[in-house]
Amino acid sequence: MIISIEGIDGAGKSTLAARLSEELDFPVLDLNKDMLEPYEYAHGKSIYSSPCFDRDSWKVAAVAIQTLDRAGANAILDRTTLSCWAYQQRTDPDLEYLAQVIKDVKPVIVMMDTDVDTCMERDPDICKVGWGYDDLVYQKHRMLAASECFARAGVPIITLHHLGKVSERDVCKIVVENLKEMNLL
């Protein structure tokens, strides 16, 4: 099973991915880190001389999802499917291949619908990279809209709303209970 944890910066994706990894004994994959670090180790080079992999690239996401599926692997992806859609739509409107891969493979998408104010409090680096409040609202709405489209296509979606005051342990329990209700565990 492939589980893709989605949401805007500061939503709690990495925290949930780590908790789910402990609970389900699935590895967590961050496409940026997991592709760059092995290259650097093997070639003894710094990040500045490594190939340009963009974890938000929908092409990398599509290939990773297909490869994991074909291998029959269990994995938790820390931001991949809907994030690629929301962030890459600005520069590359042709995302049909990614959409088709998602519809074919049907990874479980966990959409963390955390409010923007909470996200900005949790992650002060958001402003440093140039994202404003309106940017995050726009991206969140694109991810939510994409999750609805994929749900209509039969992709399993778990949308978690209003997570500001819910403990990370309880969020993990909610996801696991949903996976069991969907007969995926």
Side-chain angles (χ1 to χ4, degrees):
M1 173 185 347
I2 300 167
I3 301 172
S4 183
I5 310 295
E6 300 296 332
I8 59 175
D9 292 351
K13 297 176 300 295
S14 297
T15 302
L16 176 58
R19 280 275 183 191
L20 281 174
S21 177
E22 291 171 9
E23 180 72 25
L24 302 175
D25 198 29
F26 289 8
V28 176
L29 302 176
D30 176 322
L31 297 182
N32 193 33
K33 180 179 134 195
D34 295 326
M35 291 176 78
L36 288 177
E37 286 183 0
Y39 180 90
E40 292 167 13
Y41 178 77
H43 294 90
K45 298 179 179 181
S46 74
I47 192 165
Y48 301 107
S49 61
S50 61
C52 182
F53 292 117
D54 177 1
R55 93 165 158 196
D56 292 328
S57 166
W58 66 266
K59 293 172 188 169
V60 172
V63 170
I65 292 167
Q66 281 181 317
T67 303
L68 290 166
D69 181 59
R70 288 180 182 155
N74 291 322
I76 298 167
L77 303 177
D78 186 348
R79 173 187 269 173
T80 301
T81 53
L82 302 181
S83 296
C84 287
W85 196 278
Y87 290 85
Q88 293 296 312
Q89 185 68 26
R90 294 176 179 207
T91 58
D92 188 351
D94 183 21
L95 298 172
E96 290 305 312
Y97 180 66
L98 174 60
Q100 193 57 52
V101 168
I102 293 168
K103 290 175 186 175
D104 291 345
V105 172
K106 295 184 179 13
V108 177
I109 297 174
V110 177
M111 177 60 198
M112 301 184 73
D113 183 16
T114 311
D115 69 273
V116 173
D117 288 323
T118 299
C119 293
M120 292 185 90
E121 284 175 24
R122 287 183 185 168
D123 189 351
D125 290 336
I126 291 172
C127 294
K128 290 179 186 174
V129 296
W131 296 116
Y133 185 90
D134 291 340
D135 292 314
L136 294 179
V137 169
Y138 173 77
Q139 291 160 8
K140 181 170 101 165
H141 286 294
R142 285 202 51 75
M143 285 186 228
L144 288 166
S147 69
E148 289 176 23
C149 291
F150 290 128
R152 284 192 297 260
V155 175
I157 308 285
I158 301 170
T159 304
L160 305 171
H161 300 285
H162 313 295
L163 298 173
K165 296 184 185 213
V166 181
S167 75
E168 57 190 58
R169 176 172 287 135
D170 288 341
V171 173
C172 182
K173 285 169 108 178
I174 291 166
V175 172
V176 169
E177 288 170 10
N178 274 268
L179 291 171
K180 287 178 181 176
E181 287 173 14
M182 300 164 99
N183 293 317
L184 297 171
L185 284 181

